[in-house]
Amino acid sequence: MVALYNPAIEQFPFTKTSCNTSTLFPAIPLIDLSKPDAKTLMIKACEDFGFFKVINHGVPLEFISRLEAEAVKFFSLPLSEKEQAGPPCPFGYGNKSIGPNGDLGRVEYLLFTANQDSNLQRFVYPLGKNPEKFRAALNDYVSAVKKMACEILELMADGLKIQQRDVFSKLLMDEQSDSVFRLNHYPPCPDIQALNNTIGFGEHTDPQIISALRSNNTSGLQISLRDGRWISVPPDQNSFFINVGDSLQVLTNGRFKSVWHRVLANSLKSRVSMIYFGGPPLREKIAPLPSLMEGHEQSLYKEFTWFEYKKSAYSSRLADNRLIHFEKIVAS
Ligand code: OGA
Ligand code: NI
């Protein structure tokens, strides 16, 4: 069962959106970055959902449509041409296979490094017929989305009353930030019979600090509520959807929770999504910020670096809880 969406009553917090008379679902939190209450609502959204939608985000719509057009052009190429940009190890073109451990989805994708010094230019694979145009669109888009992600992280730090406003955003701004950018294409699934159990992208949490997702107007994305129910996220091509990643969960000592999400296949239309995953440098220690530890609050996590986390995640399946290996056993 999925939630119907009623934009007219899309409010936060906790407006109930009615699906039928017996079931109520909360609406997706909506944050208007131009409003003074953005930071307060954002904190609540990160605590309650690990997820929210952003409007007035400042990313030029022209950058978005230009990159979408390039992505559509690339994904429309014959498979043999696209495969020249793969396999993803870890960057490049991938089809159906997600990660190194056997996860499959009805999706094809392009994965890029998004850290500053690589400037996306070093992507050595052939990128369609006009790679320079594609690269220019990628660079414009990723720079603008990274700026938005940093602004959001600074509002979060403010909202958490942390003195150092850039405590999270500096990790993305670091020259060695291990950030990633992903273009996903979900082809339509016209076989209605198969549709029922066809997964586009299986359930998972994103490992980095923050993910900023933009998609075209095709539905498919779902998030899991804290009680385990899945709700559909109505697509909105002019907005961004923000995920709390595992690293931000640890940095806030579990106050923010990373969000479980997945994509279901759509019968009629293809879905194109573009996701910026803001990550820390590999050497960075991921540990709860001391300023967030009130009184005698203990860290819920063992100390680890982003490199160690990635190494451990490498042998995991998509749906695994990757943080479990880093949780402390709390004596009761
Ligand atoms: C991802 C993801 C959702 C989508 O790539 O991590 O969650 O809509 N994608 O493509
Ligand atoms: Ni994801």
Side-chain angles (χ1 to χ4, degrees), residues 43 57 82 118 128 141 150 170 182 193 204 218 230 242 252 282 312 315 319 323:
I43 301 299
H57 46 69
K82 291 184 281 192
S118 78
Y141 179 90
C150 287
K170 70 176 198 307
R182 180 170 195 129
Q193 230 56 119
H204 65 284
T218 303
W230 286 95
I242 303 297
T252 59
L282 288 172
S312 141
S315 53
L323 273 181

Side-chain angles (χ1 to χ4, degrees), residues 56-328:
N56 284 320
H57 46 69
V59 178
L61 295 182
E62 191 252 327
F63 287 4
I64 298 175
S65 51
R66 196 148 49 90
L67 181 56
E68 182 174 330
E70 288 300 320
V72 167
K73 235 190 285 170
F74 178 84
F75 289 123
S76 312
L77 291 172
L79 185 61
S80 58
E81 275 179 57
K82 291 184 281 192
E83 279 176 339
Q84 286 172 26
C89 49
F91 303 115
Y93 172 78
N95 188 7
K96 298 194 179 78
S97 170
I98 302 171
N101 299 311
D103 289 291
L104 296 174
R106 196 180 160 81
V107 64
E108 57 177 342
Y109 58 88
L110 274 170
L111 210 70
F112 305 88
T113 169
N115 68 353
Q116 250 161 356
D117 63 345
S118 78
N119 207 12
L120 299 161
Q121 302 286 355
R122 292 212 211 122
F123 187 80
V124 290
Y125 294 111
L127 268 180
K129 305 233 180 314
N130 194 342
E132 285 319 310
K133 210 166 145 217
F134 200 164
R135 283 201 182 94
L138 279 164
N139 279 327
D140 286 347
Y141 179 90
V142 170
S143 311
V145 171
K146 177 177 170 184
K147 186 161 164 266
M148 174 194 70
C150 287
E151 267 166 41
I152 289 172
L153 289 172
E154 286 170 17
L155 285 170
M156 284 181 190
D158 248 3
L160 289 167
K161 304 200 168 43
I162 298 170
Q163 295 256 310
Q164 196 191 342
R165 224 176 161 251
D166 69 349
V167 68
F168 303 125
S169 61
K170 70 176 198 307
L171 303 172
L172 274 56
M173 294 307 292
D174 194 297
E175 267 185 15
Q176 287 173 10
S177 142
D178 183 32
S179 295
V180 176
F181 183 66
R182 180 170 195 129
L183 292 170
N184 286 335
H185 171 234
Y186 302 88
C189 181
D191 178 354
I192 298 293
Q193 230 56 119
L195 186 63
N196 278 335
N197 35 27
T198 300
I199 285 286
F201 206 118
E203 64 185 87
H204 65 284
T205 58
D206 293 341
Q208 293 82 359
I209 297 170
I210 191 171
S211 323
L213 174 146
R214 183 270 172 193
S215 78
N216 66 357
N217 263 346
T218 303
S219 62
L221 180 64
Q222 295 193 325
I223 61 165
S224 169
L225 301 177
R226 297 283 176 257
D227 62 10
R229 283 180 301 165
W230 286 95
I231 59 168
S232 289
V233 178
D236 179 351
Q237 61 184 3
N238 296 323
S239 302
F240 279 86
F241 292 95
I242 303 297
N243 292 353
V244 169
D246 294 343
S247 302
L248 190 54
Q249 174 172 326
V250 176
L251 290 166
T252 59
N253 206 25
R255 182 161 164 191
F256 293 178
K257 296 274 188 329
S258 57
V259 61
W260 286 89
H261 56 285
R262 66 184 181 192
V263 177
L264 302 184
N266 192 290
S267 62
L268 298 173
K269 299 193 293 170
S270 66
R271 174 178 168 89
V272 178
S273 57
M274 21 185 104
I275 308 118
Y276 168 79
F277 302 89
L282 288 172
R283 61 177 143 75
E284 191 71 28
K285 273 210 190 90
I286 311 296
L289 297 176
S291 58
L292 289 181
M293 311 280 268
E294 288 163 15
H296 296 290
E297 189 175 327
Q298 301 270 315
S299 170
L300 299 174
Y301 305 95
K302 301 172 197 160
E303 264 203 10
F304 59 92
T305 62
W306 173 239
F307 175 77
E308 287 164 335
Y309 184 76
K310 282 196 32 167
K311 205 167 75 179
S312 141
Y314 194 74
S315 53
S316 70
R317 296 290 300 261
L318 192 58
D320 287 345
N321 177 351
R322 282 169 284 275
L323 273 181
I324 221 157
H325 308 289
F326 299 99
E327 281 167 7
K328 276 189 188 162

